[in-house]
Amino acid sequence: MRKKHLKAGERGLTLLAALALLLYLVFLVLPLLLSLRSSFTNENPLKATNDFVGFANYTEMASDDALKASLTFTLILAFGVTVAANALGVGFAMLLNRTSLSYRVMRTLAFLPQVLSGVIVGFVWQTILTQNGLLNTALLKVGILDEPYPWLGSPHAALFSIGLVVTWVMSGFTTVVYLAALQSIPLELNDMASLDGVRGTQRFRKITWPMLAPGTTISVTISLITVLKLYDIITVLTGGGPANSTQSTALYIVKLAFTSDRVGYASAVAMLLLAISAVVALVVTGALRRREVSL
Amino acid sequence: MLAAAAVTLVFVAPIYLMLVNAFKPQDKILANPVSLPWPPTLDNLKEALTRPDNLIPLGLRNSLIVAVISVALIIPLGSAFSFYIARRSGKAKAAILLALSAGLMIPPQVTLLPTIRILTWIGLDHSYPGLILANLGGGYLSFAVFVYVGFMRSVPDEIIQAARLDGASGLRIWWQIVMPLVRPATATVAIFLTLWIWNDFLNPLFILGPLQGQTITTGLYLTIGQYSVDYGQLFGIMFLAGVLPVIGYLTVQKQFVAGLTSGATK
C-alpha cells in the first residue's frame, strides 16, 4: 500500500516536470523552429502562398534600406542607452549608498519607473514631449524657446528623446544593481585604502570600479538585451516616426508580419534580430566575465 | 544629500506629473503642470471609471485574471521542473539549463507569429486561455526555472535523503519540504512575473486581438489616442492604470530589491 502511494507520488512529480518541459517545447522551441522554417518561405496569409524560396529572404535583407535604417537606429539606441544608463547607475548608486531612512526612501523612489508598463511610461512622456506638450508649454512660458521644439517630431530629436526616456527607465534598474554591488565591497578594503591615502578618483578607479565588475556584467547585458527587443515604449512615443526614423527592428518585424503580411520575410528579419541579440549577449557577457577574472 | 535628492527628483518627476495632474482640471494642468492639485478634483478619475466602454474596470479585471492564473500555474510547474533537474547531474541537465536560459534572451517578436499559429491549431487563438497558455511556456517559465534551480541547489541533500528514508514520495518531498525552504525564490518569481505579465503589451495585443477584450495595457494603448488634448482625462486614466503596480511595489519593495540583487550578484 505504502509502496503504491510512493510510486504515485513519484509519478506526480515527474508528470509536473514533464508538463513544464512540454509547455516549453510547444511554446518556445516549436515557435522558434517554425519561425526558422518560415524564414525560408514566401508565406503570406493574404495570398495564401507558402512556398520554399531558399535564401531569398536573407539575400533580400542585404538590399533592404528600411531594415538597415532600423538596425542602425536599434544599435545606436541599445549602445547609447546602455552606456548612459550604466554610467548614471554607478553615479546614482554611489550617491544613494547610505543606510539612513531618507536614503532608503530615495532608493525606493528611484526604482519606481521600472514598475510602470512601457505603455504608461510612453504616454506620460508623450504628454511631456509632444509638440504642444508640457515641456514646450513650460519652456515657451519661461521664454527659453520662441516656438515649440519638435522633441518627437524630427528624426534626430526623436532618437535623442527616446534614448532619454529609455535611459530614465533603465537607470532605476542599473542603480539598484550597482547599489547591491557596492554593498558587497568589504569595508576593510575601503579602510585600507583610506590608511594608504588613496581617495577621490584614484580610489574609484583602483578599488570601487573593479569591485563593481560582477554588477557591471549583469547590468550591461540586461540593458543591451532589453533595448534590442524594446517594443512598447517606442510604439507609444513615436510609433516609429517621423518618417520611420525611430522604427526599431522589433517594430519593423511586427509591421512586416501584421501590416504588410510578409510573414516569411518578417521571420527572416526576426532570425537576424535573434542572432544579433545572441551574439551581443555572448560576446559582451564573455568579455565582461573575463574582465571580472583579470581584475 | 542635495545631489541625492536631485537624482531622486529626476526619477520621480514624470511620475509626480502623473500623480498631481490626475487630480487637476484641464486648465490648471496647462497653466502649471507641476503645481500641487489644490483643491483636488476627482472628476478625472470619475470620468475615467464611468466610461461607456468600461475600459478601466474591465482592463484591470482581465489583467488580474491573466496575471494571477499564469503565475499560479508557472510557480508549481517551474519549481517541480527545477527540483527534478536540480537533483540530476550530467550533460542532459546542463543542456536543458542552457536551453532554458536561452529562452530568457529570445526577443518575443521572434516567437509571436508561430505561437499564434500553434494556438490556432489547438483552437485557443484570440482567447484568454490561449494567452495564459502562451505565458506558461514562454520566457516566463525560463525565468522561474532559472531562479528556482539556483535555490534548489542549496537545499542540502541530507534533508531529501532523510525524508526519502521516512518513505516520503518525490511529490511530497518537493511540496512539503523543498518548497518551504525555497520561499525567497517563490517570492522573487511571483513578484517579477506578476509585474511582467501585468505590464506585457505585445502578447496580449496580438494574441487576444482587439475584438476579444483587453488587458489594462492594451486597452490603454487602443483607447488613449482619442485624448491627445484632454490632459485631465489622459492623466486620470493613466493614474488608474498605473496605481496598482506602484502600490504593489511599495508593499513588497524589500523582497523586490532582494530578488533583483540576489540574481544580480550571484
Side-chain angles (χ1 to χ4, degrees):
Chain A
M1 185 62 211
R2 190 166 181 188
K3 211 165 195 179
K4 208 171 168 191
H5 176 76
L6 189 77
K7 254 194 174 156
E10 217 58 61
R11 222 178 295 139
L13 183 66
T14 314
L15 208 68
L16 261 181
L19 191 60
L21 186 65
L22 180 73
L23 281 166
Y24 185 71
L25 290 173
V26 172
F27 288 103
L28 207 67
V29 179
L30 182 59
L32 206 57
L33 295 175
L34 286 173
S35 212
L36 181 66
R37 180 188 173 280
S38 183
S39 74
F40 293 105
T41 69
N42 61 359
E43 193 178 337
N44 184 330
L46 285 191
K47 294 180 188 152
T49 53
N50 195 350
D51 306 315
F52 272 94
V53 293
F55 283 89
N57 289 326
Y58 289 90
T59 45
E60 184 184 338
M61 283 199 277
S63 54
D64 182 348
D65 289 333
L67 173 65
K68 271 178 221 161
S70 85
L71 284 173
T72 314
F73 171 77
T74 307
L75 291 174
I76 291 177
L77 189 70
F79 283 95
V81 166
T82 300
V83 169
N86 280 276
L88 290 172
V90 173
F92 292 171
M94 290 178 63
L95 276 175
L96 296 176
N97 189 23
R98 312 260 165 86
T99 45
S100 67
L101 181 68
S102 54
Y103 281 87
R104 286 209 302 272
V105 170
M106 290 194 276
R107 285 210 290 261
T108 302
L109 293 176
F111 198 74
L112 261 182
Q114 282 283 314
V115 179
L116 295 174
S117 73
V119 175
I120 294 184
V121 167
F123 277 123
V124 171
W125 278 95
Q126 200 186 44
T127 61
I128 298 171
L129 295 171
T130 191
Q131 190 78 3
N132 50 3
L134 302 180
L135 182 61
N136 276 339
T137 310
L139 291 178
L140 287 170
K141 204 188 292 170
V142 186
I144 296 177
L145 289 180
D146 294 329
E147 51 185 78
Y149 185 78
W151 298 104
L152 297 170
S154 84
H156 281 108
L159 167 65
F160 177 79
S161 297
I162 291 176
L164 180 89
V165 174
V166 181
T167 303
W168 175 72
V169 176
M170 284 311 298
S171 299
F173 168 77
T174 57
T175 303
V176 174
V177 171
Y178 284 116
L179 266 168
L182 277 179
Q183 277 153 14
S184 69
I185 298 178
L187 280 176
E188 303 85 52
L189 207 60
N190 280 325
D191 292 344
M192 269 160 53
S194 302
L195 283 178
D196 291 342
V198 183
R199 45 180 63 92
T201 49
Q202 203 189 4
R203 169 135 139 207
F204 177 78
R205 260 186 333 120
K206 292 266 161 67
I207 298 169
T208 314
W209 180 237
M211 290 301 288
L212 287 179
T216 313
T217 306
I218 191 95
S219 176
V220 166
T221 310
I222 291 187
S223 307
L224 278 173
I225 291 178
T226 306
V227 184
L228 282 176
K229 63 183 182 190
L230 187 72
Y231 181 80
D232 45 13
I233 295 180
I234 304 176
T235 301
V236 174
L237 262 184
T238 65
N244 289 339
S245 63
T246 60
Q247 178 169 264
S248 71
T249 310
L251 261 75
Y252 188 48
I253 293 170
V254 173
K255 188 168 131 188
L256 281 171
F258 290 94
T259 313
S260 317
D261 286 305
R262 298 198 57 203
V263 174
Y265 187 56
S267 303
V269 178
M271 285 297 132
L272 178 69
L273 181 64
L274 178 62
I276 292 175
S277 306
V279 168
V280 165
L282 290 176
V283 170
V284 173
T285 318
L288 289 172
R289 282 262 154 77
R290 273 196 300 282
R291 171 176 165 266
E292 282 176 35
V293 177
S294 68
L295 280 169
Chain B
M1 179 77 187
L2 215 61
V7 164
T8 312
L9 194 69
V10 171
F11 281 116
V12 179
I15 296 168
Y16 170 83
L17 285 179
M18 183 169 104
L19 189 71
V20 293
N21 290 328
F23 298 93
K24 291 199 296 209
Q26 170 82 353
D27 55 327
K28 279 196 184 166
I29 297 175
L30 286 177
N32 186 356
V34 297
S35 68
L36 283 170
W38 200 257
T41 169
L42 289 177
D43 288 353
N44 296 333
L45 302 191
K46 253 186 233 151
E47 220 173 301
L49 282 170
T50 54
R51 293 165 53 89
D53 62 0
N54 248 344
L55 169 77
I56 301 287
L58 273 183
L60 291 178
R61 193 200 68 187
N62 294 340
S63 287
L64 200 67
I65 292 174
V66 171
V68 167
I69 296 181
S70 301
V71 174
L73 292 173
I74 290 173
I75 285 179
L77 284 169
S79 117
F81 185 71
S82 309
F83 182 55
Y84 197 83
I85 55 172
R87 287 184 309 153
R88 272 150 188 76
S89 51
K91 278 183 192 148
K93 176 182 149 193
I96 289 175
L97 276 182
L98 191 73
L100 275 170
S101 40
L104 288 171
M105 206 194 56
I106 296 172
Q109 294 84 8
V110 176
T111 50
L112 179 63
L113 263 174
T115 299
I116 295 174
R117 198 179 318 155
I118 292 166
L119 289 173
T120 312
W121 290 341
I122 54 179
L124 288 176
D125 57 315
H126 303 291
S127 75
Y128 286 96
L131 175 61
I132 292 169
L133 208 54
N135 282 343
L136 295 187
Y140 298 129
L141 182 67
S142 296
F143 175 77
V145 171
F146 203 68
V147 174
Y148 270 120
V149 163
F151 277 85
M152 299 270 181
R153 277 198 195 121
S154 62
V155 174
D157 221 27
E158 294 80 41
I159 295 182
I160 293 163
Q161 294 304 336
R164 198 159 281 280
L165 284 177
D166 285 345
S169 68
L171 196 64
R172 264 190 73 178
I173 295 176
W174 164 66
W175 187 248
Q176 294 188 340
I177 297 170
V178 176
M179 278 307 270
L181 287 174
V182 297
R183 214 171 268 153
T186 307
T188 302
V189 171
I191 290 171
F192 280 92
L193 289 191
T194 309
L195 184 65
W196 290 339
I197 294 173
W198 179 276
N199 284 343
D200 194 5
F201 179 57
L202 196 65
N203 274 350
L205 187 64
F206 289 104
I207 291 180
L208 282 181
L211 298 175
Q212 299 299 317
Q214 287 145 11
T215 63
I216 190 70
T217 35
T218 59
L220 199 62
Y221 172 69
L222 294 168
T223 325
I224 214 166
Q226 314 160 8
Y227 293 100
S228 53
V229 281
D230 188 348
Y231 283 118
Q233 209 20 235
L234 259 175
F235 281 114
I237 293 177
M238 283 191 294
F239 173 81
L240 290 169
V243 72
L244 272 183
V246 170
I247 291 176
Y249 160 66
L250 293 177
T251 324
V252 297
Q253 167 294 99
K254 230 181 215 160
Q255 289 94 318
F256 202 94
V257 174
L260 196 76
T261 48
S262 76
T265 51
K266 215 174 251 164

